[in-house]
Structure formats: structure tokens, C-alpha cells
Amino acid sequence: VGTFRRMLDSCLLTMASGGLLRYAEKTLFKRLAEPAEIASAIYFLADKEQSSYITGQALVVDGGALARLGTE
């Protein structure tokens, strides 16, 4: 599950050394995930109708950050 924004993130982002902001810039969407985006992925895997034939998989929800690793 990717990094997602919470209510406290604005405070943490301003106090931190910019690590989360640098991570967000590496995603294809140039932002952190919203909680609803992470919840949608969890719901998909938990729903027997939608994921009935999926076994033993990792669903990467990272805004494309993993896809960009080899391009830098």
C-alpha cells in the first residue's frame, strides 16, 4: 500500500526534511495518495465478486513510483 495523506500530513510535511514531498515528486501523479484511493484498493481485494479469481498477488498502490525506479 502506498504512502497516503492524512490530516496531520500538512504539519508533518512542513516539519520533516521534505522526504515525503520528494517521494511524492517521484510518483507519476506527483502527489501522495488520498485515503479513499488506498481504501478502494483494499475494498477491491476484499470484495469476493471483484477479486474472486485473484490469489497470492501484491497489489502495488504507489502512484507509479515503482514504475519510475529504473528511469532515474
Side-chain angles (χ1 to χ4, degrees):
V1 178
T3 305
F4 62 95
R5 188 178 349 177
R6 298 179 312 243
M7 289 177 61
L8 295 178
D9 277 345
S10 60
C11 293
L12 294 174
L13 289 173
T14 55
M15 294 183 338
S17 62
L20 283 177
L21 291 173
R22 284 194 300 275
Y23 174 83
E25 283 298 313
K26 292 182 184 291
T27 69
L28 295 175
F29 297 115
K30 305 287 188 224
R31 63 178 179 81
L32 299 175
E34 296 294 333
E37 293 169 315
I38 303 301
S40 293
I42 293 168
Y43 180 80
F44 169 75
L45 289 174
D47 186 291
K48 290 181 183 178
E49 296 279 324
Q50 295 184 53
S51 62
S52 64
Y53 206 68
I54 296 176
T55 60
Q57 297 299 313
L59 180 60
V60 179
V61 183
D62 68 355
L66 185 61
R68 293 193 61 192
L69 282 178
T71 63
E72 294 183 10

